[in-house]
Amino acid sequence: MVVVGAGAAGVAAAVAAAQRGAQVLLVDEHPVDNDMMAMDVPLYFGQRVQPSVRNRALMMERVVETNPGLGEAYEAGVDVQLGTYVWGAFVNGPTVRELPGPMLGLADDRRSWLVGYDRLIIAAGARDVVLGFPGWERAGAMGAGGAHALLARYRALASKRMVILGSGHLALATAALALEHGVEVAGIVEVGQVLRADIAAVPALRGVPVFTSHTVKEARGKIGEVESVVLVRVGANLEPVASTEPEIVCDSVCLAVGLVPSVELLHLVRARLAFVSARGGWVPQLSDAMETSTPGVFAAGDCTGVLESMLSDPSAAREQGRIAGRAAAESLNGHEAPPLPRASGQVDGPGVHVYWEQWLRSLVAAGGWEVNACQCEEVTRRELVEVKPPRYLKWDSPQMNARSLDTMLRDGPVNQDQIKRLTRAGMGPCQGRRCREQVGLLLAQAAGTSLDRIPLPSFRPPLRPLPLNVLWPADEPAAMREHWVGWFGIPTQFSPHWEAGMAIAEPTAQTPLILSDE
Amino acid sequence: MAQPAGAAVVIIGGGVTGLSSGWWLARSGVDVLVLDKGIVGWEASGRNGGGATHVYSPFGLEEQRLWPQMDELLGYPTEHQPYRIGIALTDTQLALARRSAEIGESRGFRWELLDRQQLKELVPIAGDNAIGGTFLHFGGHANPQRTVQAYAWALQDHGGRILQHTTVTGLTVRGGRVTEVETTGGSIGAETVIVAAGPQTGLFAEMLGVSLPLAPARVEMIATEPLPLLRHGGVAGNGLYGRQTLRGNLIYGGGPHEWINVPDMATPEHPNTPLVRNLSRRLAELLPGAAHLRVIRSWGGVVENTPDGLPVIERLASPDNVVLATMSSVGFGLSPAVGKAISELVLHRRCLFADLSAIALGRFADTPPDWRERAGWIAAGPSAVATTGASRWPSIPARWPIRYRSPTVTRPWSWWERARRA
């Protein structure tokens, strides 16, 4: 059995399964290497990392030290592999029948390998919701998930003064954590008229400046750095109102507006997903035993839905993990999992997308349409909704100028993957990890629809950007090399069609995927 | 768009072949309607390597003539770039590259043999493992995603119509002609019908009592993060097809492709497999100077092949108002020329610029019904996916040794043997 993710849910699942006799492999990507962090993968680290993250041994120590659950798992006989990326999941289906069984693609900094599983528990957590403003490309713009990891796991956040956007549990917990680690919180900014969580319940936050009915106008600084953030007051319609524009000196702006369940792996194993706004978007449909629609694959923790209550208390995630681990182990032992009470913390509250949309509307009103929606490919909000081809093509034609999202809507509903192909928004090295939600929200808003009506943009392996010479198989079987064909190896296919018998001698493609010499 | 009552020409399949045909017809003032079960160009047409170097085809000369004009003709960018460079790491690879170049030469195109030094000057990320290569002063490549959308938009600009998210469920034949195309949105009248439905083209032929032997397969590609632009992006070899895009990404495919079944009109899934690792290895060998680049994505697509890998572009004798079109897995690059040919089959009943006798459907008259089994082009056995929560899988150790091979099947029948003997 493989458990992906060593957070509260993953550790609980691994321990519960091991206690029932299962042979368990628990993998977690932390500590991720410095290059991956620099790409804001898997979390929005915002370039604010101390040089100590280059010290792998030290980071490994910290990740172990700050996660007592890992020791517990080790004691329970779980094979714990840290610093290990899960970059793919491969299962047979209607059009893939050649795999000997379901398997995961794993990798560390130097090599990749495949591992088979009988049962899989996905506890992949959540990633940051990122909404842009002028200057969000600067080092120092980051997400709450990235900030939490750098503060609590790596102890390597390179920030002294932080402004936090958002005011729910996530934002207040981030503020408290920052203060605890000696980072000054220069302000908590909320676009709404009231704070979303009770700040009085967090005594540490007494005296922290709070800006309600404000949004970000701009993050300023020398080239490439956040040195201050300019706020602007907004009216009930979220448009900026004429008044003073406070400029707050800070070296980081932390987006703590929300989290999105990490469903990449769930998507790859063909688990059925549904859009539940109260849980942060697309989440797996689960049985009472936390089993997905793909038999043998279970899920637990934030990747099954991010709930406010779970942010403040990991016990709900732990309980989900225990249920999943127990059910997975029981099914391996050939037992039907006994009926279990539904994990607590499962009551859906109001949707979160309305709130994210409020933020985005205010940011667009204050920052304009020339702000990048996609950083990797430098696609602005305007270029996105006007469906412009990338600037480097230097294309200009009356036909192209007459096309826009509006003209495309005449031919069919908006599809984020289609817009991506045309504008390149979400097509860069981070593969939309930073822009997926804001691109979706911008498109939904421009198309007069809502995010749940836009099909889930696709996830493909590798789920982590790995170098060719890491992803490659060092032990590629000789047979795979021998029988390799460029296309189908049909002798007549690339020979002059009018000259019989000019076949190019190349082996024919009936070679299956050969994964091992043994 | 509202469901139209009918059109002069109804095209089943909004892939690159159907869209190009529709565009050429719309340019000629014909009332065309393209039907697609999903989004135009969404399947293999928009997911391929983008190669445009097919001079061995009857459409090859027209392909070469048209591509440099396509941006202007369409009014939208295709990212077409001229020239191809072939890199050889072994004598066998060099022989294959030379053979392709010589076919071009036989059709009047220029090429040069490159030694390692010349190759590395043109492609600095090529390595000392290369023994040489070819530079073709012909051929090229384009961006499939942009090109399919360009065809669709240009077709509309000429008055043609596109109906997406509409699946064709049947064809009504009256008096020896297809009179209506039945869809999930209702019946659509047609004077002429073009079937360019990729792997599902054979299913439509079957509805008309015509046998069109096709074997679908699932293929895969990978993409790296961008790299500064090479002088020429059309670089391939080492059993890979692909290119550097104008953004700088390296996108390549190749390798063993899995034969599959496409039993109905539903869009087949096209996930990736661990083959992405082997593709990474071949690419790092092809371009060692890029071995450090990160793979950011992979994708898959479904293509179909005829038994000899050659297209079928045919106006049927009966019903006589139907054109069947499959490019046998090599359709993107040839699309400007093939669309033109199909428009001529509709308008003039024959192709005016090329002799299509080599790709006539009649060549499969003696192909046995079990040809896929004989060729070994069959889908692997029933999927091992369990259908209930109970364990059906054998226990697999972590880091298992994996081995899987399908039985080898010989493929002895007349046309194949002829091709091989000669």
Side-chain angles (χ1 to χ4, degrees):
Chain A
M1 181 190 306
V2 181
V3 179
V4 179
V11 165
V15 170
Q19 283 168 348
R20 280 163 184 78
Q23 186 197 333
V24 184
L25 169 65
L26 173 63
V27 293
D28 193 281
E29 62 191 325
H30 295 289
V32 300
D33 83 341
N34 183 59
D35 291 346
M36 204 69 97
M37 272 190 180
M39 301 173 81
D40 290 330
V41 176
L43 300 165
Y44 190 26
F45 296 110
Q47 319 297 322
R48 281 289 186 242
V49 295
Q50 290 172 1
S52 60
V53 299
R54 290 181 178 280
N55 184 338
R56 294 284 293 156
L58 178 65
M59 288 305 119
M60 190 65 86
E61 220 169 83
R62 293 221 177 131
V63 164
V64 172
E65 189 184 300
T66 55
N67 187 351
L70 293 176
E72 195 192 331
Y74 184 77
E75 290 297 315
V78 173
D79 178 5
V80 181
Q81 292 184 14
L82 302 177
T84 303
Y85 304 107
V86 180
W87 56 267
F90 305 101
V91 296
N92 280 319
T95 59
V96 182
R97 292 180 164 190
E98 62 183 344
L99 302 177
M103 62 185 82
L104 296 177
L106 304 185
D108 58 23
D109 304 338
R110 291 189 303 277
R111 66 197 184 96
S112 72
W113 64 96
L114 300 169
V115 62
Y117 60 84
D118 295 313
R119 296 291 181 275
L120 175 64
I121 301 177
I122 299 174
R127 58 184 171 77
D128 295 298
V129 174
V130 184
L131 305 170
F133 41 82
W136 75 288
E137 302 83 359
R138 296 173 187 283
M142 62 170 62
H148 271 259
L150 288 176
L151 285 166
R153 286 183 144 177
Y154 294 79
R155 293 186 188 144
L157 178 72
S159 169
K160 293 201 157 50
R161 211 171 134 84
M162 179 182 276
V163 167
I164 292 174
L165 310 185
S167 68
H169 282 299
L170 178 67
L172 300 191
T174 306
L177 190 67
L179 287 169
E180 189 189 321
H181 287 266
V183 181
E184 190 184 344
V185 177
I188 291 175
V189 184
E190 168 53 44
V191 73
Q193 290 162 7
V194 292
L195 297 184
R196 290 171 69 82
D198 182 11
I199 197 166
V202 191
L205 299 182
R206 199 169 300 147
V208 169
V210 169
F211 300 85
T212 50
S213 294
H214 274 78
T215 194
V216 175
K217 189 179 179 190
E218 188 186 1
R220 288 182 184 163
K222 287 197 294 286
I223 294 171
E225 298 282 330
V226 171
E227 292 182 349
S228 71
V229 60
V230 180
L231 305 181
V232 62
R233 178 175 285 282
V234 296
N237 60 359
L238 302 172
E239 299 276 338
V241 293
S243 72
T244 55
E245 296 182 353
E247 179 167 358
I248 306 173
V249 173
C250 61
D251 58 11
S252 63
V253 183
C254 182
L255 281 144
V257 169
L259 293 172
V260 192
S262 292
V263 295
E264 299 101 309
L265 260 186
L266 289 156
H267 181 70
L268 291 192
V269 298
R270 309 174 72 239
R272 204 175 301 124
L273 304 178
F275 192 96
V276 183
S277 181
R279 297 173 161 253
W282 294 94
V283 290
Q285 295 185 332
L286 298 173
S287 72
D288 285 347
M290 308 302 288
E291 191 172 17
T292 68
S293 66
T294 302
V297 179
F298 298 74
D302 285 349
C303 71
T304 68
V306 178
L307 297 168
E308 282 277 291
S309 55
M310 280 166 70
L311 291 171
S312 49
D313 178 12
S315 65
R318 262 188 223 118
E319 194 180 337
Q320 290 181 358
R322 269 195 296 273
I323 292 171
R326 190 170 139 194
E330 293 291 348
S331 73
L332 263 185
N333 296 338
H335 304 145
E336 278 293 310
L340 291 159
R342 183 90 180 166
S344 63
Q346 302 278 307
V347 183
D348 290 347
V352 293
H353 291 83
V354 172
Y355 177 58
W356 300 353
E357 200 174 80
Q358 282 171 3
W359 264 107
L360 186 60
R361 273 178 197 277
S362 76
L363 290 169
V364 173
W369 287 89
E370 309 309 327
V371 177
N372 281 338
C374 166
Q375 264 193 41
C376 296
E377 299 297 306
E378 298 185 338
V379 181
T380 65
R381 293 165 177 161
R382 180 183 309 284
E383 288 165 332
L384 179 75
V385 299
E386 291 182 355
V387 196
K388 292 288 185 212
R391 268 169 267 161
Y392 59 81
L393 291 181
K394 299 184 176 70
W395 183 265
D396 188 31
S397 69
Q399 293 99 318
M400 190 73 242
N401 293 338
R403 296 283 171 180
S404 67
L405 188 61
D406 286 341
T407 65
M408 294 194 73
L409 290 172
R410 289 181 213 146
D411 293 325
V414 61
N415 181 298
Q416 195 166 334
D417 278 337
Q418 185 185 23
I419 302 298
K420 178 188 78 175
R421 290 163 164 219
L422 298 170
T423 63
R424 294 194 65 90
M427 221 175 198
C430 94
Q431 284 289 298
R433 283 177 189 85
R434 288 181 299 201
C435 71
R436 197 172 255 266
E437 284 68 37
Q438 67 176 327
V439 165
L441 287 168
L442 283 165
L443 291 175
Q445 190 187 322
T449 182
S450 52
L451 205 54
D452 58 308
R453 287 164 185 254
I454 299 180
L456 174 73
S458 61
F459 296 100
R460 308 289 301 205
L463 296 177
R464 299 292 178 260
L466 295 166
L468 286 166
N469 57 15
V470 169
L471 196 56
W472 71 3
D475 55 345
E476 188 176 57
M480 188 77 178
R481 305 185 67 71
E482 240 166 73
H483 299 296
W484 189 273
V485 284
W487 194 228
F488 286 89
I490 304 171
T492 37
Q493 190 153 40
F494 299 121
S495 300
H497 294 358
W498 54 91
E499 292 176 30
M502 290 205 49
I504 296 178
E506 214 196 336
T508 340
Q510 49 177 330
T511 316
L513 188 61
I514 301 166
L515 298 166
S516 165
D517 269 329
E518 301 189 26
Chain B
M1 193 176 97
Q3 177 98 359
V9 178
V10 172
I11 300 172
I12 303 174
V16 76
T17 302
L19 290 170
S20 176
S21 307
W23 170 65
W24 281 102
L25 286 164
R27 273 169 63 87
S28 310
V30 178
D31 167 37
V32 294
L33 172 66
V34 177
L35 304 175
D36 196 281
K37 64 189 181 321
I39 295 174
V40 288
W42 203 246
E43 298 301 321
S45 296
R47 299 170 175 273
N48 55 78
T53 316
H54 307 96
V55 291
Y56 51 79
S57 162
F59 307 107
L61 292 182
E62 193 65 2
E63 172 199 51
Q64 296 305 306
R65 193 181 73 81
L66 286 171
W67 264 115
Q69 310 172 44
M70 290 307 283
D71 278 4
E72 203 182 326
L73 289 173
L74 293 167
Y76 301 92
T78 65
E79 299 189 27
H80 175 258
Q81 299 291 301
Y83 313 128
R84 295 295 313 194
I85 294 169
I87 295 180
L89 307 185
T90 64
D91 290 332
T92 313
Q93 290 182 5
L94 189 60
L96 275 170
R98 285 189 69 134
R99 179 83 181 91
S100 295
E102 284 162 3
I103 295 171
E105 189 175 332
S106 75
R107 306 210 78 187
F109 296 105
R110 241 166 19 95
W111 70 282
E112 286 162 48
L113 193 65
L114 305 172
D115 63 23
R116 182 186 297 147
Q117 197 48 41
Q118 291 168 315
L119 177 66
K120 287 179 77 171
E121 273 163 31
L122 278 169
V123 186
I125 51 175
D128 290 333
N129 59 343
I131 62 167
T134 54
F135 185 89
L136 309 186
H137 292 268
F138 59 96
H141 55 100
N143 179 334
Q145 300 175 335
R146 233 169 267 298
T147 303
V148 284
Q149 191 65 65
Y151 278 127
W153 281 340
L155 177 155
Q156 290 177 325
D157 292 343
H158 286 288
R161 290 170 292 171
I162 294 172
L163 193 57
Q164 300 187 129
H165 307 289
T166 303
T167 302
V168 177
T169 54
L171 302 170
T172 302
V173 182
R174 281 202 197 91
R177 295 171 67 82
V178 173
T179 52
E180 270 110 30
V181 173
E182 310 301 333
T183 78
T184 44
S187 186
I188 296 172
E191 287 167 33
T192 306
V193 175
I194 299 169
V195 183
Q200 280 125 338
T201 305
L203 299 176
F204 287 104
E206 210 172 290
M207 289 178 194
L208 300 171
V210 173
S211 169
L212 173 58
L214 291 178
R218 182 182 48 76
V219 300
E220 302 183 45
M221 294 192 76
I222 59 171
T224 70
E225 62 188 323
L227 173 83
L229 290 187
L230 299 167
R231 201 184 315 169
H232 304 293
V235 179
N238 197 28
L240 297 176
Y241 59 91
R243 66 197 174 103
Q244 183 184 35
T245 68
L246 285 181
R247 173 69 175 93
N249 311 78
L250 303 178
I251 64 156
Y252 286 88
H257 311 295
E258 185 173 354
W259 298 106
I260 62 166
N261 293 323
V262 179
D264 53 33
M265 298 301 175
T267 302
E269 293 178 10
H270 23 68
N272 290 92
T273 70
L275 182 69
V276 296
R277 300 175 77 216
N278 308 88
L279 288 169
S280 301
R281 179 156 176 156
R282 302 293 290 209
L283 181 51
E285 290 166 356
L286 177 72
L287 302 168
H292 64 287
L293 287 187
R294 288 173 188 269
V295 182
I296 60 174
R297 197 171 175 85
S298 64
W299 63 90
V302 171
V303 294
E304 76 281 6
N305 264 302
T306 64
D308 56 6
L310 272 50
V312 170
I313 302 293
E314 178 120 340
R315 180 156 181 158
L316 297 179
S318 171
D320 78 345
N321 64 335
V322 175
V323 176
L324 282 187
T326 168
M327 290 304 291
S328 191
S329 79
V330 189
F332 174 75
L334 289 165
S335 64
V338 170
K340 188 176 176 195
I342 293 173
S343 73
E344 291 173 358
L345 288 177
V346 170
L347 297 172
H348 311 292
R349 294 184 170 264
R350 65 186 186 92
C351 176
L352 305 179
F353 67 88
D355 175 6
L356 305 190
S357 55
I359 59 169
L361 180 59
R363 69 188 191 275
F364 299 125
D366 68 341
T367 300
D370 62 346
W371 70 277
R372 285 189 68 179
E373 284 77 8
R374 295 195 195 199
W377 294 5
I378 47 169
S383 163
V385 175
T387 51
T388 71
S391 172
R392 290 203 192 166
W393 302 323
S395 184
I396 302 165
R399 297 196 192 178
W400 62 14
I402 298 166
R403 182 181 174 81
Y404 177 81
R405 271 168 178 286
S406 69
T408 304
V409 187
T410 50
R411 59 187 95 68
W413 71 97
S414 58
W415 63 265
W416 190 283
E417 287 303 299
R418 274 202 305 277
R420 295 218 117 182
R421 267 202 309 274

